[in-house]
Amino acid sequence: MDYIKALLSNEMFVAAVCSWATAQIIKTIINIILTKSFDPGRLVGSGGMPSSHSAFVTGLATSAFIHAGPASPAFAICFVFAFVVMYDAMGVRRETGKQAELLIRFTEIFSANYDEFQTPEETLKVLVGHTPLQVFFGLLIGIVVGVIV
């Protein structure tokens, strides 16, 4: 129990988790507005607006900046980590989502035209990456929540 108290008193950890949670809640609300239905998977799922990954790492980096200072090793590590995560979200992970969309289309075409082709039981996940705008809004959430915490 002392570990949980210690973790919850760690402002850098709390800032990161609160930033992630805020982005996930906003993402879920946006999804409700767009689809007119509640999807509980959006509360924990990746992809979409805003980027909760970006909010998470930016909240951490912002808190490190405030608590340890811009010249600290903690801030340097958090900043580099945040940059890599956000770059990856816009690059590799976004391309993975585009490839998944294409493979799903191929699967639909093969399923419709070839009887011997078996449709996969599980559909590929398309929402895995982010647009630069989604990353930017995640970054803003992380900074704001990091400062508030």
Side-chain angles (χ1 to χ4, degrees):
M1 198 58 144
D2 291 335
Y3 292 113
I4 293 172
K5 281 183 184 177
L7 194 58
L8 294 177
S9 67
N10 182 329
E11 291 177 358
M12 287 174 59
F13 175 79
V14 171
V17 171
C18 287
S19 296
W20 173 85
T22 301
Q24 288 298 119
I25 290 167
I26 292 170
K27 183 184 303 189
T28 303
I29 292 168
I30 290 171
N31 191 64
I32 290 169
I33 292 167
L34 294 176
T35 65
K36 309 281 190 267
S37 66
F38 174 67
D39 177 7
R42 297 310 301 146
L43 285 169
V44 293
S46 61
M49 170 66 97
S51 167
S52 56
H53 289 88
S54 298
F56 186 71
V57 295
T58 306
L60 179 66
T62 300
S63 187
F65 179 88
I66 291 168
H67 292 287
S72 69
F75 174 69
I77 292 167
C78 293
F79 180 85
V80 170
F81 177 61
F83 181 82
V84 168
V85 168
M86 289 185 283
Y87 181 81
D88 182 62
M90 290 185 295
V92 175
R93 289 181 54 236
R94 186 169 177 213
E95 289 301 316
T96 300
K98 288 179 182 179
Q99 291 171 1
E101 285 178 340
L102 185 61
L103 287 172
I104 290 168
R105 279 192 232 144
F106 283 149
T107 301
E108 291 168 352
I109 291 167
F110 281 117
S111 296
N113 295 309
Y114 299 99
D115 292 334
E116 64 274 2
F117 184 80
Q118 302 254 338
T119 304
E121 292 178 22
E122 193 173 317
T123 303
L124 292 172
K125 189 173 179 183
V126 175
L127 285 175
V128 292
H130 294 284
T131 65
L133 187 65
Q134 293 168 339
V135 169
F136 176 73
F137 277 102
L139 178 140
L140 287 180
I141 290 168
I143 291 172
V144 169
V145 174
V147 168
I148 290 170
V149 170

